[in-house]
Amino acid sequence: MRKENSTNSINERYLHKKCALNVAIDIIGVRWASQIIFSISQGVNRFHLLKEELPNISEQVLSRKLKILEKQKIIIKTIIPDSTPIGVRYILTSRGEDLLPIFENICEWGKSYSLDFEN
Amino acid sequence: MRKENSTNSINERYLHKKCALNVAIDIIGVRWASQIIFSISQGVNRFHLLKEELPNISEQVLSRKLKILEKQKIIIKTIIPDSTPIGVRYILTSRGEDLLPIFENICEWGKSYSLDFEN
DNA sequence: CTGTATCCCCAACGATACTG
DNA sequence: CAGTATCGTTGGGGATACAG
């Protein structure tokens, strides 16, 4: 349960109000989120495929992250019809698609660290 | 002290190796970092000015963040000559400047949440 | 004015077992 | 196949006092 009056929460709200940049950062800046969005855009769009692609993520965490991204309207969960056992496919919303060119830019920028990463 | 063999650290290294996107996200995705970079670019480039601009940040945290950004070669600390008491000015490196257009894009994207933020 | 030292909190992250 | 329940761990974020 979240403590709405902790300094943590107060600062979070302060930053969100200050600039939408911070809103966006709090969405894409948590662990796995960006990688999951990118993977889904590449066609890695099912639960077990994501588990294979990201072997270090636990089912618990993957499930949690997918649910959050769905709530944020970045991905949509669709049931694959006539499948046994039940199958699920995740696809990006237009809001999610809009992130892809941004990720390209961020990725380019991050590459400057691949060289001197261990300083 | 950081536990280099915690799953947390292992996953961090895994993601960094997977894609530079995750390297960049871990730099700009922590609290205050993006806002500090943006503020400095706007001329809010001194310790006490940043404290005024971000009243909810403690000196401890601001100091810590500035040091990290300096280590990441995103900002540079310059001593203001002939000042008593000692004065310090922070400026962006070219690596820091490169972030500004990216921030513009992220901010634009984030604005779509200002509407339905409390869902 | 620009920090550092010390200590604490708590929310994200993760492991494991279980389920429709 | 696609999750959820439960609980333990970690480390970033923060408060306060002090220092050059």
Side-chain angles (χ1 to χ4, degrees):
Chain A
M1 62 189 78
R2 214 142 184 301
K3 306 208 173 176
E4 297 301 334
N5 283 323
S6 67
T7 313
N8 225 330
S9 296
I10 294 172
N11 281 342
E12 183 179 311
R13 285 196 295 272
Y14 170 79
L15 284 168
H16 286 182
K17 192 178 166 192
K18 177 103 178 165
C19 179
L21 171 63
N22 298 306
V23 175
I25 288 290
D26 277 355
I27 292 172
I28 65 176
V30 298
R31 180 163 289 177
W32 303 109
S34 298
Q35 183 60 54
I36 289 173
I37 295 167
F38 182 72
S39 291
I40 289 177
S41 79
Q42 300 280 303
V44 186
N45 55 9
R46 304 194 48 178
F47 195 88
H48 71 278
L49 292 177
L50 285 164
K51 257 180 49 180
E52 287 163 25
E53 166 112 338
L54 311 169
N56 294 296
I57 197 172
S58 77
E59 297 179 350
Q60 176 35 272
V61 174
L62 178 55
S63 167
R64 202 188 293 157
K65 296 297 173 181
L66 288 169
K67 194 175 285 185
I68 293 171
L69 290 173
E70 199 186 350
K71 193 172 178 184
Q72 292 165 336
K73 302 193 193 332
I74 291 172
I75 63 176
I76 291 179
K77 175 163 71 174
T78 59
I79 308 292
I80 301 174
D82 307 326
S83 57
T84 47
I86 194 168
V88 167
R89 199 183 305 285
Y90 292 95
I91 56 174
L92 297 185
T93 64
S94 63
R95 200 181 248 170
E97 300 272 5
D98 290 344
L99 278 172
L100 299 178
I102 295 177
F103 282 176
E104 288 281 340
N105 292 335
I106 299 176
C107 188
E108 270 314 306
W109 182 83
K111 281 179 183 163
S112 69
Y113 283 98
S114 301
L115 307 171
D116 56 5
F117 194 63
E118 304 298 333
N119 40 357
Chain B
M1 64 188 80
R2 212 141 185 303
K3 305 205 173 177
E4 298 301 335
N5 284 324
S6 66
T7 312
N8 224 330
S9 296
I10 293 172
N11 282 342
E12 182 179 310
R13 286 196 295 273
Y14 170 80
L15 285 168
H16 286 182
K17 192 180 166 191
K18 178 105 179 162
C19 180
L21 171 63
N22 298 305
V23 175
I25 288 290
D26 277 355
I27 292 172
I28 65 175
V30 298
R31 180 164 288 177
W32 302 111
S34 298
Q35 183 60 53
I36 289 173
I37 295 167
F38 182 72
S39 291
I40 290 176
S41 79
Q42 300 281 304
V44 186
N45 55 9
R46 304 195 49 178
F47 196 89
H48 71 277
L49 291 178
L50 285 164
K51 257 180 47 179
E52 288 163 25
E53 167 112 338
L54 311 170
N56 295 297
I57 197 172
S58 76
E59 297 180 350
Q60 176 36 271
V61 174
L62 178 55
S63 168
R64 203 189 294 158
K65 296 297 173 183
L66 287 169
K67 194 175 285 186
I68 292 171
L69 289 173
E70 199 186 351
K71 194 172 176 184
Q72 292 166 336
K73 302 191 191 338
I74 291 172
I75 63 176
I76 291 179
K77 175 163 70 172
T78 59
I79 309 291
I80 302 174
D82 308 325
S83 57
T84 46
I86 194 169
V88 166
R89 197 183 306 283
Y90 291 96
I91 56 174
L92 297 185
T93 63
S94 64
R95 200 180 249 170
E97 300 272 4
D98 289 344
L99 279 172
L100 299 178
I102 295 176
F103 283 175
E104 288 280 341
N105 293 334
I106 300 176
C107 188
E108 269 316 304
W109 182 85
K111 281 179 184 162
S112 68
Y113 283 98
S114 301
L115 308 171
D116 57 3
F117 194 64
E118 303 299 332
N119 42 357

